[in-house]
Amino acid sequence: VRRDLGVAGQANGTSWVPPGKTRPNQLRAETDTHFIAMAFDPDLNVAETAALEDLLDWMELETKLERESLYRLASLAADMHVTQVVNTKKGIHILMPKSVLPPKEHCADDSMV
């Protein structure tokens, strides 16, 4: 995992978030400013879809917003980057800024997005 993303481990103030992980090749990380979902696959399009699906799954738990609203929000605010293409496993990481997400306690319904 790239150190410039601030997801190298506890030493950088970063925590890995394995609970709730549903796909064996998925990785999640959380920094002070972002939620980060990562996925790897020989097909970059498959990795992109898996990373996005995992991010949406995670954000549903964190915010209690409806998936459709989270998808719209991700299309506007999340940044997607290619992590690697150097071997048979290609990687994608998606960064969702915490600043665009409402606090969990304010998300009893979908009226925030």
Side-chain angles (χ1 to χ4, degrees):
V1 176
R2 293 172 38 179
R3 290 189 180 276
D4 61 322
L5 291 176
V7 293
Q10 291 292 342
N12 289 338
T14 303
S15 59
W16 292 104
V17 187
K21 188 173 80 166
T22 59
R23 296 169 187 92
N25 293 328
Q26 301 279 161
L27 293 172
R28 293 176 177 174
E30 182 176 354
T31 68
D32 291 340
T33 58
H34 289 82
F35 292 107
I36 305 167
M38 296 166 264
F40 300 87
D41 193 88
D43 184 330
L44 204 53
N45 291 318
V46 172
E48 175 272 325
T49 299
L52 178 60
E53 289 295 324
D54 190 52
L55 179 72
L56 295 176
D57 290 346
W58 192 12
M59 295 303 94
E60 280 183 301
L61 295 172
E62 289 294 323
T63 67
K64 303 299 184 198
L65 290 175
E66 296 292 324
R67 192 172 194 85
E68 184 177 320
S69 294
L70 288 166
Y71 187 81
R72 287 193 306 260
L73 184 60
S75 72
L76 296 170
D79 288 322
M80 183 180 296
H81 301 272
V82 175
T83 302
Q84 70 175 31
V85 292
V86 295
N87 59 26
T88 60
K89 292 279 189 174
K90 295 168 179 69
I92 293 284
H93 60 274
I94 301 177
L95 297 92
M96 175 66 87
K98 291 181 177 180
S99 62
V100 303
L101 296 167
K104 192 182 242 183
E105 62 271 10
H106 293 130
C107 297
D109 60 42
D110 210 23
S111 62
M112 295 298 292
V113 177

